[in-house]
Amino acid sequence: MSQIDDLPPLRDVIATHQLSARKALGQNFLLDLNLTARIARIPGDLSGMDVLEVGPGPGGLTRGLLSEGARRVLAIEKDSRCLPALAEIGQACPGRLEVIEGDALEIDPLAHLTPPIAICANLPYNVGTELLTRWLTPSDWPPFWSSLTLMFQKEVAERIVAQPGSKAYGRLAILSQWRCDARIALTLPPGAFTPPPKVSSAVVHLTALPEPRFPAQHKLLERVVATAFNQRRKMLRSSLKGLAPDIEERLNAVGIPPTERAEQVGLEAFCALARTFET
């Protein structure tokens, strides 16, 4: 690991390669290697795991993951300016870092990774929620990954772990908690980043459950939940009426008052409602 320790400080790397963060790419660089090491330790023992990292930037978290013993790291980076900095890390860890230039939304990581697999990333703000939703909603479960350790804006992180009745509770909470254990593992102030964002950030750790908490077809559950929360302030009999003409009867059948609003309904009840649409 000493070769990683011998790499220059990230501020020097950024200066050498002229890596000013680009707002269009959702970039905010985390330069404190003590913090990136803390994030890399959140998933637990990485010694027998491949790790997928999206948006590594100058490679602070990449260094942490390799230092914590990850078997291999696959880093997907859209910004070609960052590739020389990442190549320097690869030279310090021969055979353990693969860097792909491209859009993480368009790349199949399984072609480059061997299970068990963890995902750990300071996600670019502009694609973070979409990537999370994709990772949470594969057709088959368990997924290809065993855990997700992801940096988000704090507001998004709170939506992932929110409980019924709270303002943050919604579609993202249900999709996350249906198939995972989710917790906020670390909160970071704006000043931890370069440039500092306008809001605080938080690292969420999600561990995949062997099977969903409650039975439901994932596409039906997604459809019911998306429709319900599309009009949060309406009663469910109104917001869901487009799904079925007998929606009020279906709600009553699973014990959900038709006059309830979506943010008051728990995960188990939504799964029961989704099952009423199975053929």
Side-chain angles (χ1 to χ4, degrees), residues 231-243:
Q231 303 180 71
R232 295 176 64 96
R233 296 182 180 180
K234 284 192 174 183
M235 293 182 289
L236 284 174
R237 67 183 179 195
S238 298
S239 60
L240 295 176
K241 64 182 179 181
L243 291 181

Side-chain angles (χ1 to χ4, degrees), residues 107-120:
I107 293 171
D108 177 13
L110 276 179
H112 306 268
L113 296 169
T114 302
I117 298 165
I119 300 177
C120 188

Side-chain angles (χ1 to χ4, degrees), residues 3-76:
Q3 289 180 301
I4 299 178
D5 295 336
D6 291 340
L7 290 168
L10 285 177
R11 290 192 182 279
D12 293 349
V13 171
I14 287 176
T16 298
H17 298 286
Q18 299 181 334
L19 297 178
S20 57
R22 289 180 173 173
K23 186 175 182 180
L25 295 175
Q27 291 175 330
N28 296 93
F29 297 146
L30 184 59
L31 303 185
D32 187 333
L33 292 176
N34 291 319
L35 284 175
T36 57
R38 285 180 65 186
I39 296 169
R41 287 193 289 269
I42 290 171
D45 184 8
L46 296 175
S47 57
M49 304 191 76
D50 283 5
V51 180
L52 171 62
E53 182 186 6
V54 175
L61 181 56
T62 314
R63 293 194 199 186
L65 294 168
L66 292 165
S67 294
E68 290 301 316
R71 181 174 60 194
R72 288 182 66 254
V73 174
L74 172 66
I76 301 176

Side-chain angles (χ1 to χ4, degrees), residues 156 188 212 243 273:
V156 176
L188 298 172
L243 291 181
L273 180 60

